[in-house]
Amino acid sequence: MNKPGPILTDELLARYMANQATRSEIEQVQAWLEQSPDRVQELKGYRKLWEHSQAVGQPRRQVDTEAAWKKMQANMHAKSVRSAPEIPKIEENFAASPQELPEKSRRLNPIFWAAATLTLLMAAWGWLYFSKEQPTTPVVAVSTQQNTYEKTLPDGTVVHLNYNSTLSFENNLEGDTRRVSLRGEAFFNVAPDPAHPFVIDANGTEVTVLGTSFNVKAYGDAVRVDVRSGKVAVRKNEHRVELSPGEGVDIQADTVFRTIQANLNLAAYGTQVFEFTAQNLDSVVQTLNQGFHADIRLANPQLARCRLTARYERETLDYTLSMVAETLQLSIRREGNIYWLEGSGCL
């Protein structure tokens, strides 16, 4: 457990933001900031209030605390008129205005008055800030670059992120809808919950499900969805389509919907399952390159006509290629990260 940090006075904060703090006081503020990441944002809020008090960059200028007081009273009065709930009078918690203080007190150091003004503004700002509902900030769950990643969400949904992808969600998926945002590509195995639909925002395209598995590719304006199980509703602007297992949709930037046959091999980066039925070898190589993020090439263009029927599940790239080569009577040559499939071709 962290030790309690130093307690900062308003006068110390005033000197710190007026660049009049001593080295020891600066170290106190830095130690206070290091106690919690939230204090950086808190200090930013104090600095904004300091700027409003006209103290930043003007340490020699006398702060007009009377004007600040009157302005704050007016703001608080306007706020109380607009707000329906009855609130305590904030001014009762503050010191008297400068005119009500003894003459000796009004001749104190300007830093004292700057700190007093800052205290007044901070208290009013805090009341105004916490008296209204704060917006929820999306929390980035995971991002990938040159790697894939599996993420289990709070509701039990399992997501496999492809390269250069980001998934974010709000409120730990505790709202009426389990809403997430995707930029990139991911395979979703959604935990069933009919009372709380799972909704994905993919670059302006909305994908809604109850419990199913499907792949979403949304690296740019074009979005593609391929459904493996269950049903999925896809909507963009006024266009909407429902997809069943084995169906997919291709959405272009100008909102052109094109229903297609699902290609579940596109999700092999996450499922680690490749399935080919009489598929040309050039298409097989393209799929393996995407699934393994590899560089496989055909040494002979005529090999593209070879057809392959096979299923590979949770195998390594080297083993998968060796099985392809054995099935089609080919050989493998490797140059660095490049795999060459060699042979005379197929009839």
Side-chain angles (χ1 to χ4, degrees):
M1 180 179 296
N2 294 332
K3 296 181 179 180
I7 299 176
L8 303 185
T9 65
D10 298 329
E11 187 174 358
L12 190 155
L13 278 174
R15 287 197 298 272
Y16 177 83
M17 287 184 283
N19 296 322
Q20 293 185 3
T22 65
R23 179 180 297 275
S24 175
E25 291 172 336
I26 293 175
E27 291 175 353
Q28 289 183 50
V29 176
Q30 291 176 343
W32 177 75
L33 289 172
E34 291 173 356
Q35 290 298 315
S36 170
D38 295 336
R39 289 182 175 172
V40 175
Q41 295 300 324
E42 189 175 346
L43 183 62
K44 288 182 179 179
Y46 292 167
R47 186 172 294 279
K48 288 182 179 179
L49 294 172
W50 174 261
E51 293 171 351
H52 291 166
S53 70
Q54 299 183 353
V56 170
Q58 303 178 48
R60 298 180 181 176
R61 181 178 177 180
Q62 188 78 10
V63 178
D64 190 350
T65 52
E66 182 177 356
W69 171 260
K70 290 182 178 179
K71 183 176 180 180
M72 183 54 61
Q73 283 184 315
N75 289 339
M76 289 189 296
H77 177 70
K79 179 66 178 182
S80 64
V81 171
R82 291 193 302 267
S83 302
E86 183 179 354
I87 58 174
K89 295 181 179 180
I90 297 180
E91 60 267 27
E92 293 178 356
N93 298 324
F94 298 132
S97 65
Q99 288 183 343
E100 298 171 335
L101 294 175
E103 179 65 22
K104 182 179 178 180
S105 299
R106 293 200 297 268
R107 292 198 299 267
L108 291 176
N109 192 303
I111 288 295
F112 171 84
W113 285 118
T117 303
L118 180 61
T119 302
L120 176 65
L121 292 173
M122 283 166 50
W125 170 78
W127 172 75
L128 291 174
Y129 182 84
F130 290 107
S131 64
K132 61 182 180 179
E133 183 179 356
Q134 297 301 306
T136 302
T137 303
V139 179
V140 175
V142 64
S143 293
T144 61
Q145 295 182 355
Q146 298 303 309
N147 63 297
T148 59
Y149 191 80
E150 178 180 307
K151 174 69 176 180
T152 301
L153 302 185
D155 68 330
T157 294
V158 179
V159 183
H160 296 268
L161 283 175
N162 204 351
Y163 279 32
N164 302 315
S165 301
T166 298
L167 180 75
S168 61
F169 60 93
E170 300 178 357
N171 285 335
N172 291 323
L173 302 181
E174 294 178 347
D176 293 336
T177 59
R178 297 172 286 168
R179 186 174 295 274
V180 302
S181 177
L182 173 67
R183 299 297 179 267
E185 185 173 13
F187 181 81
F188 293 84
N189 195 342
V190 177
D193 187 354
H196 300 88
F198 193 94
V199 181
I200 304 167
D201 174 18
N203 291 336
T205 295
E206 187 175 271
V207 183
T208 303
V209 299
L210 298 179
T212 182
S213 58
F214 55 97
N215 191 71
V216 180
K217 188 173 185 178
Y219 283 108
D221 292 334
V223 176
R224 174 168 177 158
V225 180
D226 295 87
V227 179
R228 182 178 184 180
S229 63
K231 288 190 175 183
V232 175
V234 182
R235 180 178 64 84
K236 184 172 184 181
N237 299 332
E238 71 278 9
H239 301 279
R240 185 178 184 275
V241 64
E242 290 189 1
L243 303 176
S244 298
E247 295 180 340
V249 65
D250 187 17
I251 307 168
Q252 300 302 316
D254 52 357
T255 321
V256 175
F257 274 54
R258 185 169 63 93
T259 304
I260 55 179
Q261 182 178 356
N263 181 0
L264 298 181
N265 284 330
L266 292 178
Y269 64 88
T271 63
Q272 297 181 339
V273 176
F274 296 90
E275 190 164 358
F276 306 105
T277 302
Q279 195 161 340
N280 289 341
L281 186 57
D282 57 348
S283 178
V284 171
V285 166
Q286 181 181 1
T287 299
L288 294 177
N289 281 334
Q290 293 175 349
F292 286 108
H293 294 280
D295 189 355
I296 308 168
R297 306 180 187 182
L298 300 178
N300 182 353
Q302 294 184 0
L303 293 177
R305 296 181 300 174
C306 296
R307 292 182 177 272
L308 178 69
T309 298
R311 176 184 170 88
Y312 309 106
E313 184 172 350
R314 300 186 180 278
E315 305 291 354
T316 64
L317 171 60
D318 289 342
Y319 179 82
T320 301
L321 278 182
S322 66
M323 294 302 297
V324 171
E326 181 178 345
T327 302
L328 299 177
Q329 297 182 345
L330 305 175
S331 60
I332 303 173
R333 175 170 54 89
R334 183 171 179 178
E335 295 180 352
N337 293 327
I338 302 176
Y339 293 85
W340 290 96
L341 290 177
E342 300 179 323
S344 57
C346 301
L347 300 177

